[in-house]
Amino acid sequence: MLSWKALKNYLPLILIILLASILRLFMLGDVPISMSDDEIRAVYSSYSIAHTGRDAFGNFLPVVIKLDGSNTFGQVPIYLSSLFFLFLDLNPFTARLPYALAGILSIVFFYFIVKKIFNDGIAIASSFVFAVSVWHIQLSRFAIETDTTLLLYLIGIHIFLYAQNKTIPILVSMFSFFLAFYSYSAMKVTFLPLLLILTWYKYKELSKKHLLIILSTIILAFGSFGLLSITQNASSYSGAGGNFFFFQDKEKTALVVELERRGSQEPEFVKSFYHNKFTYWIRMFSSNYLAAFSPGYLFLNQEGSGIYSIWERGVLYLFELPLLIIGFIYLFLKKRKEFFFVLFLLLIAPLPSALGVGAPTWTSRSAFMIFGLYIFIGAGIYSMLTLFKKQQYRYFIFLAFVFLYLYSVSGYLFQYYYDWSSTNAKYFSKSTQDLVYFINKSKRKDIVVSGATVNTFFHYAFYNKIDPAITHKIINNSQIKYENVVFIQICFIDTDEDPYKSISQNQIYIAISSCKYKAKPKTQIRVHNGEEIIWNIFEK
């Protein structure tokens, strides 16, 4: 048992974890307002594995998980969260709970990492910044692979730093890194440079045996991934063609280069030299990489993706900018090697956004930036609190920080709980949830849903807790029929016809808005703010 003295020493950390838990668990099933498409696919597959040993499409314990026909989902988060469904019911709260807990645990391991590298004061300050972070709260309040990946990387770093010269901890840390490698496609690119930086930092304490273990882990990770890419198309991303995640889309690249050359009046040899795939990739990499460090993204507006962002608010609080600079200078002057260790880890963090195909999502892909940024901000707070010897000055600075964080965090939370549910509802598939609720109220009639994807049915299966064994039998059909409801992808009734002429009194026809009819629907399902029509409902 912990002594009172030990408990007292850890009291600040306990309070921080309590605060972090409240911020991540309060109304977790209600905000975000509904389950996003990515959440539904991953969570229902976890639920299916827990009860049948098969993913949502009926594949038995798959090594590679594809839930939308092309993109590869992280295997480890899906399998880990499936353990929760052995004991818990299926609902939005329990669906997000494993990921929220991963976020909370990340703060614990982060604290001990920072304490090992620097001291307890910086560790407490940095962990508090982590706990109230806009960036991390948003990520850890919905089911996303980033949460698990970040936790596993932090566990690996923690064990590696505390391993000293012991072999077993090194093996355990490498296993954690290996699991992180298979947790999120985007963050695979972080794996190798992270291990190289850790090896550099602890090189004097590592034996040849330890170096061999690290090298073997790297070979095993990339070797197994290469094999799975060849045999099961594990590297596919963004489209049925299966583009490899860490390269720009080949078709888009070729088109852009061709348009640049057509629009240029330069000689042909100059066009080829300055307008080619390599120069395009370098330009895209630089733009995406540097954008992760832009003050606009960090402190003002976040990214354009509505699923991650609260617009007109940065992922860091604006007043943390000077603290970040102060902490950067403070650590450079006080702990040079440790400073560069943190800096190098920060510099590799945006690589997934810089190298990834498609639109960059810095909030999720580059979430490892949290590690370095919050250490520098925490060091800035610590340096300010220890700047003066007189206790009254320290109290004044402490109260100033309390006021700034209380004002900023409460402002963010009010915006998150009151406004974000409305403004960002469409990014969390609220209209699909409304569709499911409408169908459930109308089960006395036969219902046809036109323009429904496989994912539409996954929403229906999730909210109705349909037995996955039943789902496996019908999910791969061109028309998915469950009880009195049929889901089809095409417009079931030709667009030049009147739907009311084709349905009886005992039928309801629901068509996605792209199925155009002159007849006026009886009712409609719109996005949460009422502006955009998603579903038209025809019922006599």
Side-chain angles (χ1 to χ4, degrees):
M1 294 201 38
L2 285 174
S3 65
W4 169 248
K5 183 178 180 181
L7 185 62
K8 187 177 179 181
N9 290 336
Y10 285 110
L11 184 59
L13 175 62
I14 293 170
L15 293 175
I16 288 171
I17 298 306
L18 179 61
L19 174 63
S21 300
I22 294 171
L23 293 175
R24 284 153 183 79
L25 297 176
F26 177 68
M27 294 183 66
L28 182 62
D30 300 310
V31 182
I33 195 169
S34 49
M35 299 289 288
S36 70
D37 285 347
D38 283 347
E39 286 182 293
I40 287 289
R41 286 191 287 256
V43 168
Y44 191 75
S45 220
S46 295
Y47 178 69
S48 178
I49 288 171
H51 291 276
T52 68
R54 299 177 182 273
D55 69 9
F57 286 93
N59 302 305
F60 181 71
L61 296 179
V63 180
V64 175
I65 298 178
K66 293 180 180 294
L67 301 181
D68 59 359
S70 58
N71 295 340
T72 304
F73 280 65
Q75 301 94 317
V76 175
I78 288 177
Y79 277 107
L80 286 178
S81 61
S82 69
L83 300 177
F84 285 75
F85 292 118
L86 294 173
F87 311 99
L88 300 176
D89 194 18
L90 182 65
N91 56 61
F93 180 86
T94 57
R96 291 167 175 158
L97 180 61
Y99 301 88
L101 293 177
I104 296 166
L105 285 174
S106 293
I107 300 171
V108 177
F109 285 97
F110 176 78
Y111 164 80
F112 286 105
I113 291 170
V114 182
K115 183 178 180 179
K116 177 68 174 177
I117 301 172
F118 299 108
N119 59 49
D120 189 63
I122 295 177
I124 287 294
S126 300
S127 300
F128 171 77
V129 174
F130 201 148
V132 300
S133 154
V134 172
W135 195 337
H136 194 253
I137 290 173
Q138 287 176 203
L139 282 179
S140 53
R141 285 187 60 87
F142 68 99
I144 184 173
E145 302 154 301
T146 309
D147 301 317
T148 307
T149 311
L150 185 59
L151 172 61
L152 289 169
Y153 273 137
L154 291 174
I155 291 174
I157 294 171
H158 169 265
I159 297 174
F160 191 88
L161 292 179
Y162 280 85
Q164 297 178 346
N165 61 347
K166 297 177 181 178
T167 300
I168 297 299
I170 295 291
L171 284 169
V172 175
S173 70
M174 290 302 111
F175 179 66
S176 184
F177 288 130
F178 183 80
L179 292 179
F181 182 83
Y182 278 105
S183 292
Y184 185 19
S185 294
M187 283 194 175
K188 280 181 170 61
V189 74
T190 312
F191 175 80
L192 178 58
L194 172 57
L195 290 185
L196 293 177
I197 293 169
L198 282 169
T199 303
W200 161 78
Y201 183 67
K202 298 284 288 184
Y203 186 75
K204 291 182 179 180
E205 298 179 22
L206 299 174
S207 66
K208 290 182 179 179
K209 184 179 181 180
H210 298 152
L211 294 175
L212 181 60
I213 292 172
I214 296 171
L215 179 61
S216 299
T217 304
I218 294 171
I219 294 172
L220 178 62
F222 286 102
S224 60
F225 181 62
L227 179 63
L228 291 173
S229 297
I230 295 170
T231 59
Q232 299 190 42
N233 206 19
S235 61
S236 67
Y237 189 86
S238 189
N243 295 307
F244 187 62
F245 180 85
F246 301 119
F247 291 95
Q248 293 295 322
D249 187 290
K250 295 178 182 178
E251 293 183 3
K252 180 181 178 182
T253 300
L255 177 61
V256 171
V257 170
E258 179 63 23
L259 291 174
E260 287 180 356
R261 290 180 179 179
R262 287 182 184 180
S264 174
Q265 303 299 317
E266 299 163 344
E268 286 299 323
F269 77 93
V270 175
K271 290 181 184 181
S272 300
F273 190 73
Y274 288 102
H275 303 287
N276 53 60
K277 293 180 180 179
F278 181 75
T279 56
Y280 172 77
W281 286 338
I282 290 294
R283 188 166 69 249
M284 291 302 298
F285 171 85
S286 302
S287 174
N288 293 338
Y289 181 86
L290 293 174
F293 293 103
S294 70
Y297 165 68
L298 291 176
F299 298 101
L300 297 176
N301 295 310
Q302 301 188 30
E303 63 185 60
S305 172
I307 200 167
Y308 302 116
S309 303
I310 292 185
W311 295 317
E312 299 181 359
R313 179 178 290 278
V315 291
L316 303 177
Y317 301 109
L318 185 57
F319 75 90
E320 290 178 330
L321 175 57
L323 294 174
L324 178 64
I325 297 170
I326 292 170
F328 190 88
I329 297 171
Y330 177 81
L331 293 183
F332 177 78
L333 296 175
K334 295 289 185 180
K335 287 251 188 179
R336 192 65 54 88
K337 183 179 180 180
E338 290 76 8
F339 163 82
F340 280 110
F341 173 65
V342 175
L343 178 63
F344 291 156
L345 291 180
L346 177 60
L347 291 176
I348 66 171
L351 289 177
S353 294
L355 291 171
V357 68
T361 53
W362 296 277
T363 307
S364 62
R365 295 181 188 175
S366 299
F368 194 66
M369 288 178 68
I370 287 172
F371 180 84
L373 290 173
Y374 295 165
I375 289 177
F376 286 129
I377 293 172
I381 294 173
Y382 176 80
S383 66
M384 293 294 292
L385 289 172
T386 57
L387 181 62
F388 300 100
K389 292 184 178 181
K390 290 187 176 182
Q391 200 70 20
Q392 59 265 36
Y393 293 149
R394 292 186 178 184
Y395 282 137
F396 176 78
I397 294 173
F398 177 78
L399 290 174
F401 284 136
V402 168
F403 171 77
L404 287 171
Y405 273 105
L406 186 61
Y407 178 82
S408 299
V409 175
S410 60
Y412 158 65
L413 293 175
F414 281 126
Q415 187 178 5
Y416 180 83
Y417 283 101
Y418 285 94
D419 297 334
W420 197 58
S421 289
S422 297
T423 58
N424 289 48
K426 66 179 181 180
Y427 301 104
F428 283 87
S429 306
K430 182 63 170 66
S431 59
T432 309
Q433 183 192 65
D434 292 339
L435 170 68
V436 173
Y437 290 166
F438 177 85
I439 293 173
N440 289 343
K441 291 178 181 178
S442 309
K443 281 196 171 181
R444 67 188 186 279
K445 295 188 175 184
D446 293 326
I447 301 171
V448 175
V449 183
S450 285
T453 63
V454 169
N455 212 53
T456 310
F457 177 74
F458 280 148
H459 281 271
Y460 185 77
F462 173 88
Y463 290 112
N464 287 287
K465 304 175 186 178
I466 296 176
D467 184 348
I470 297 174
T471 300
H472 300 159
K473 296 177 182 178
I474 61 177
I475 194 65
N476 293 308
N477 298 335
S478 57
Q479 292 187 10
I480 302 174
K481 187 177 188 305
Y482 178 76
E483 295 180 341
N484 64 316
V485 187
V486 178
F487 298 86
I488 57 177
Q489 293 190 22
I490 62 173
C491 299
F492 186 68
I493 299 174
D494 293 337
T495 54
D496 58 348
E497 293 185 11
D498 183 351
Y500 292 109
K501 295 180 180 179
S502 302
I503 61 175
S504 66
Q505 292 287 346
N506 196 45
Q507 291 178 321
I508 298 176
Y509 177 56
I510 304 174
I512 199 164
S513 58
S514 57
C515 297
K516 303 292 184 182
Y517 300 106
K518 292 182 180 179
K520 186 177 180 180
K522 181 177 180 180
T523 187
Q524 296 172 320
I525 294 175
R526 299 171 176 260
V527 296
H528 195 54
N529 59 12
E531 293 178 0
E532 182 183 352
I533 299 169
I534 305 297
W535 301 98
N536 289 312
I537 300 171
F538 300 89
E539 178 182 10
K540 288 186 176 178

